[in-house]
Amino acid sequence: MKTFPVKYFDGKSSKSFDALLTIFSNYWNVSIKENNFSNNIRWEIEHIKSSKVYTHQIKSFSYGNYPFQHIEYQGDDILIEIEKFQEQKKLCNKTDSFLHKFGAKSVAMLMLAIVTFSGLMYFYVIPNVAEKFAENIDSNYVIAFGDYVFNPLKSELNIDDERSAVLQDFTNQLNLESEYPIEVYVANIDQLNAFAMPGGKIVIFSGLLDKFTNASQLAALLGHEVAHIKNRHILKNISRNLSGYLFISILFGDINGISTILIENAHMFKQMSHSRTLEREADKEGLEMLIKNKINPKGMQELFQILKDETKTDIYEKFKYINSHPLLNERIDYIKTKIESLKYVSETNQELEKLFNKLQN
Amino acid sequence: MEIVEQKPSKHIFLFLGKGVEYAIIFFKNLILTILTLGLYYPWAKVEMLKYFYQTTEFKGNRFTFHGTGAEVFKGFIKVYIVFIALYVFLIYGTSSGRADLALISLLLFYVAIILIIPLAIHGAVRYRSSRSSWRGIHFKYFGNRKEMYKLCLVGFLLTIITFGIYNSWFKVDLRKYIFKHLKFGNLSFDFIGDGGTLFLIHLKGIFLSYITLGIYSFWYMRELYQFHIQNMVVYQNDKKIMTKFNVSVGDVFELIVINAILIIFTLGLASPWVTTRTLRFFIANVVIEGEFNEDDIKQTELDDYGDAAGDDYLDFFDIDIL
């Protein structure tokens, strides 16, 4: 019968006793023998608790009710003895013993598992689930969300009510096939900008609107923005962004601030490259809308020509990677080839022309 | 009766944790936590505490943490229920579009948090003490919840009124209160630092770090560590035992700079090694000085306190008590 020399504590004082532990199938025997004192203590298996953590060499067990009796043993061989008995399985954890046996190799394996799993989640599972979620939200919630974001913004946009009304009439002339009613606003701000909100709101800045020379350019812009709305691009982006960010902060949140910042920036880059695919999709669908409405698709090409001329793209060229709109030259080329490949009939729409002229006066 | 022998007057702690060993625990638990969407966190936390206790040695014996995942999980659920309720209320208030309602809900949210913190500190200290032992002797916290409330509310209020200056005194008062109401068997504790000294350490530290472009911050950190550790006093049978924290500025520099390098260049994967390095720095440099007999500590009244909610609240606020 194998015995293990252990340190025994009785739970009453800090004095340590040298004792011998013998492991039997249904109980443990702790036998204390000191100069003037000897005692045999029986530990029933059901009341023994292991410390439930693996540390090299030291194994400790406690027994009974609070405050516990306690033994410490130096060495790993005690686990081999315990493992011999089925009833004592709860006192040693096979997984832990296995992992600790291989030390650094286990660490490498676990790290690899984490990196692979996180990569899969971050690049594949989470974005897709997030998009599916955004796709399936009820339209009413999308509209409510759009209002929630737009309302506080509205006062800063300096909305021109008169021009907005004309632009609304212009928009209503187009067959946009949107699930939400499209509301358009002209913001009295001298910038080349326009944006769409989830749930059907589009804002065009006067700085951009004033540069338009014909109705098809304006229709092209609307087509592009409506495509963002119809495909719930903004919502999908927010959903992807938030869930990706959440995942990252859960994964790295516990670790440390610096690495979180580094990783957040990498996350931003990934989002930007994703935005570029969304812009391309909106360009394509905007073009299709123009053709369906028998409007000259060249309007789209002209729209980007205007943006290109006005922004002196040299500066932008240098930041090719961090520009979220695909480079204007690239976009113009893409639209050109697309138009060439399409069959289209364009007619002059009197009503649109009339409204466009009214808008520009 | 045994003859109590004269013990040597310096007593040291050993930290025997190893980066590789802790990395296995850390990464294993990280995987389990991710796979269970965070639900495994209480068990992960308990295993971490158990590991660090069991690798800390004093006089040839290790410390033990007796908490269980189930206890921490129950606390965790309580904390989440309270916070979800608070957030729902806050979101309801701020999205109602009414300014008065938004203000009230915001105010209530902060008041609730201020009211939870003393409760959390009390619960956390009591839980951790009750679940910590060495040689089978347990710690015991016997502070009074009402007194803790009073101390914290006065502290918060004065800190706000004095634009943060009172914070040093508040923190010291809090430490004093906790230590005075802490027992380890029949050993008792005290904290003898004072708020004025802490305030001057901060004032000097921030000022000098600023004008030396951060170089002084290593001296500043060392002074802070020493203030918090060296002012701890232990009493055994009315005999005073002091603590010393012998680190040089070079040690502090090495700790901080190497930790930062490790974290940055591994994108955080070295975190278990950083944790064990840091703990070794703090634990292995503490020396207890005085007449002390480690075989003569007696278990006194016990406090079997299994409510880990306070501990979980502090996790939520990211506050560490000791």
Side-chain angles (χ1 to χ4, degrees):
Chain A
M1 190 64 47
K2 200 168 179 189
T3 53
F4 300 92
V6 296
K7 294 272 178 209
Y8 171 82
F9 303 97
D10 61 6
K12 295 181 187 99
S13 94
S14 61
K15 181 161 171 29
S16 79
F17 297 91
D18 288 317
L20 286 174
L21 172 72
T22 322
I23 296 175
F24 297 98
S25 70
N26 52 344
Y27 73 98
W28 289 11
N29 183 62
V30 184
S31 137
I32 302 163
K33 278 194 180 65
E34 294 207 338
N35 309 334
N36 47 2
F37 180 76
S38 91
N39 194 7
N40 273 319
I41 298 158
R42 188 183 161 105
W43 279 18
E44 300 297 338
I45 298 300
E46 52 176 320
H47 299 302
I48 302 174
K49 281 188 211 143
S50 84
S51 59
K52 285 211 175 104
V53 63
Y54 191 101
T55 39
H56 185 58
Q57 294 271 306
I58 278 282
K59 298 287 166 277
S60 71
F61 300 89
S62 54
Y63 182 76
N65 289 323
Y66 192 92
F68 318 98
Q69 296 171 53
H70 188 71
I71 52 172
E72 281 180 14
Y73 174 71
Q74 292 263 0
D76 292 337
D77 52 342
I78 195 168
L79 293 179
I80 299 164
E81 189 71 16
I82 295 171
E83 275 172 11
K84 286 182 187 162
F85 303 103
Q86 265 297 314
E87 305 86 342
Q88 304 186 16
K89 253 184 159 172
K90 59 160 188 170
L91 296 174
C92 52
N93 186 324
K94 282 244 169 67
T95 325
D96 282 350
S97 309
F98 176 81
L99 286 172
H100 285 276
K101 202 167 125 194
F102 294 101
K105 275 182 208 149
S106 299
V107 176
M109 200 184 72
L110 289 167
M111 274 187 187
L112 191 71
I114 286 178
V115 171
T116 319
F117 175 78
S118 316
L120 264 169
M121 286 297 279
Y122 180 67
F123 289 104
Y124 186 72
V125 181
I126 286 180
N128 283 315
V129 170
E131 281 201 6
K132 280 276 168 312
F133 171 74
E135 264 169 35
N136 291 313
I137 300 175
D138 188 80
S139 323
N140 289 324
Y141 288 115
V142 180
I143 295 172
F145 175 70
D147 288 341
Y148 181 76
V149 183
F150 184 65
N151 289 341
L153 213 69
K154 210 173 165 183
S155 60
E156 290 165 32
L157 287 172
N158 199 9
I159 302 288
D160 183 334
D161 290 328
E162 224 171 288
R163 273 184 111 183
S164 297
V166 183
L167 183 61
Q168 187 68 57
D169 290 341
F170 183 95
T171 312
N172 294 345
Q173 288 294 316
L174 300 167
N175 175 18
L176 297 170
E177 292 171 354
S178 163
E179 59 178 307
Y180 328 98
I182 301 290
E183 279 174 46
V184 285
Y185 298 91
V186 177
N188 216 346
I189 297 171
D190 192 22
Q191 274 173 22
L192 288 174
N193 199 2
F195 62 84
M197 284 275 163
K201 293 184 174 57
I202 296 172
V203 178
I204 301 178
F205 286 29
S206 59
L208 179 60
L209 191 59
D210 295 341
K211 294 284 183 303
F212 290 153
T213 51
N214 64 52
S216 58
Q217 293 163 359
L218 177 57
L221 176 66
L222 287 169
H224 174 94
E225 298 301 341
V226 168
H228 279 318
I229 291 170
K230 270 159 71 176
N231 294 313
R232 299 191 169 181
H233 282 166
I234 304 113
L235 212 61
K236 281 181 191 168
N237 242 346
I238 294 173
S239 175
R240 280 175 75 116
N241 254 321
L242 276 182
S243 53
Y245 182 79
L246 207 69
F247 180 70
I248 285 219
S249 46
I250 289 170
L251 200 57
F252 290 90
D254 280 340
I255 296 181
N256 170 290
I258 305 169
S259 57
T260 317
I261 293 167
L262 289 173
I263 286 154
E264 268 169 25
N265 281 312
H267 179 68
M268 206 177 77
F269 266 96
K270 180 177 165 254
Q271 290 310 326
M272 278 185 160
S273 76
H274 177 67
S275 302
R276 287 200 290 270
T277 31
L278 295 188
E279 287 304 324
R280 170 130 310 168
E281 196 178 319
D283 288 350
K284 187 176 147 265
E285 289 191 17
L287 216 52
E288 283 161 5
M289 187 279 283
L290 291 179
I291 290 166
K292 238 178 240 163
N293 283 280
K294 295 191 172 129
I295 297 168
N296 191 344
K298 290 234 163 69
M300 186 68 86
Q301 196 184 324
E302 288 163 23
L303 168 67
F304 291 111
Q305 197 60 47
I306 291 170
L307 288 174
K308 190 187 162 191
D309 294 343
E310 294 297 325
T311 47
K312 305 272 177 286
T313 36
D314 283 8
I315 319 159
Y316 287 85
E317 289 285 351
K318 287 190 182 120
F319 296 103
K320 204 167 180 167
Y321 224 74
I322 43 175
N323 194 347
S324 78
H325 275 71
L327 280 181
L328 291 167
N329 279 335
E330 257 175 52
R331 275 171 104 167
I332 293 169
D333 291 344
Y334 170 77
I335 290 160
K336 248 192 211 160
T337 35
K338 196 87 197 162
I339 292 172
E340 280 161 16
S341 73
L342 289 166
K343 281 201 174 104
Y344 64 89
V345 203
S346 61
E347 300 167 350
T348 317
N349 185 327
Q350 293 302 335
E351 196 57 34
L352 279 185
E353 291 299 330
K354 211 176 87 192
L355 286 165
F356 179 76
N357 289 333
K358 193 173 167 193
L359 198 57
Q360 297 300 57
N361 287 324
Chain B
M1 279 302 289
E2 286 178 69
I3 300 155
V4 179
E5 29 178 327
Q6 189 67 39
K7 296 279 163 184
S9 61
K10 280 194 178 176
H11 316 270
I12 55 161
F13 289 84
L14 292 174
F15 180 72
L16 303 161
K18 288 196 191 75
V20 173
E21 239 172 43
Y22 179 55
I24 292 176
I25 295 171
F26 179 88
F27 289 116
K28 180 191 82 182
N29 286 337
L30 187 62
I31 291 177
L32 288 170
T33 307
I34 296 170
L35 287 180
T36 57
L37 302 172
L39 284 178
Y40 190 74
Y41 172 77
W43 286 269
K45 178 180 157 180
V46 165
E47 193 178 359
M48 176 196 81
L49 287 172
K50 277 180 184 288
Y51 180 76
F52 290 137
Y53 275 63
Q54 191 156 293
T55 48
T56 304
E57 188 177 298
F58 184 62
K59 299 283 172 189
N61 297 103
R62 312 294 180 91
F63 284 80
T64 311
F65 181 69
H66 298 275
T68 63
E71 283 169 357
V72 178
F73 181 70
K74 277 182 210 150
F76 185 71
I77 296 292
K78 282 187 202 169
V79 171
Y80 269 80
I81 290 174
V82 168
F83 274 91
I84 288 169
L86 278 174
Y87 274 112
V88 165
F89 185 68
L90 182 69
I91 290 166
Y92 166 76
T94 48
S95 63
S96 66
R98 281 177 52 192
D100 52 343
L101 222 67
L103 196 72
I104 290 171
S105 60
L106 200 68
L107 218 66
L108 266 170
F109 183 76
Y110 283 113
V111 168
I113 285 181
I114 286 178
L115 290 179
I116 286 172
I117 289 176
L119 207 73
I121 296 175
H122 176 85
V125 179
R126 199 168 153 202
Y127 176 72
R128 284 273 176 106
S129 309
S130 160
R131 291 310 183 237
S132 303
S133 79
W134 175 77
R135 288 193 175 187
I137 305 288
H138 284 254
F139 283 87
K140 184 194 174 192
Y141 174 69
F142 55 101
N144 179 300
R145 199 183 299 178
K146 270 186 202 150
E147 285 170 8
M148 176 62 80
Y149 251 116
K150 210 175 121 193
L151 197 150
C152 284
L153 291 184
V154 171
F156 286 140
L157 207 70
L158 286 176
T159 304
I160 294 167
I161 292 172
T162 59
F163 300 106
I165 291 172
Y166 187 74
N167 194 34
S168 296
W169 280 267
F170 175 33
K171 278 204 174 139
V172 168
D173 283 350
L174 197 60
R175 260 182 115 73
K176 264 193 207 297
Y177 186 83
I178 292 173
F179 276 90
K180 279 199 166 126
H181 295 86
L182 195 62
K183 281 200 143 189
F184 177 68
N186 59 346
L187 300 190
S188 51
F189 299 84
D190 198 359
F191 187 76
I192 52 170
D194 74 288
T197 317
L198 180 61
F199 179 72
L200 284 177
I201 291 173
H202 280 311
L203 193 69
K204 192 176 91 181
I206 291 166
F207 178 71
L208 288 178
S209 298
Y210 188 71
I211 59 168
T212 58
L213 304 173
I215 294 165
Y216 185 77
S217 60
F218 301 107
W219 279 264
Y220 175 30
M221 294 320 282
R222 185 173 79 134
E223 270 197 86
L224 269 187
Y225 298 154
Q226 288 186 330
F227 177 82
H228 285 112
I229 297 169
Q230 302 199 134
N231 284 316
M232 295 193 293
V233 182
V234 188
Y235 291 98
Q236 184 176 36
N237 307 325
D238 295 328
K239 278 189 186 129
K240 195 172 179 180
I241 301 149
M242 304 293 292
T243 40
K244 281 273 168 294
F245 189 60
N246 296 319
V247 290
S248 66
V249 173
D251 296 335
V252 178
F253 177 81
E254 194 197 304
L255 175 80
I256 294 174
V257 172
I258 292 185
N259 279 358
I261 292 173
L262 277 175
I263 286 289
I264 292 168
F265 287 102
T266 63
L267 288 177
L269 285 178
S271 155
W273 286 269
V274 169
T275 313
T276 43
R277 286 187 82 238
T278 310
L279 281 171
R280 180 171 301 114
F281 172 82
F282 283 107
I283 293 168
N285 286 316
V286 170
V287 179
I288 290 182
E289 286 183 4
E291 257 181 66
F292 174 65
N293 184 350
E294 70 272 13
D295 290 333
D296 191 30
I297 304 169
K298 298 210 168 45
Q299 193 85 275
T300 49
E301 335 89 87
L302 286 157
D303 179 29
D304 186 1
Y305 186 71
D307 183 356
D311 211 74
D312 290 319
Y313 275 120
L314 293 191
D315 261 14
F316 199 91
F317 293 126
D318 213 1
I319 301 173
D320 218 340
I321 4 165
L322 293 174

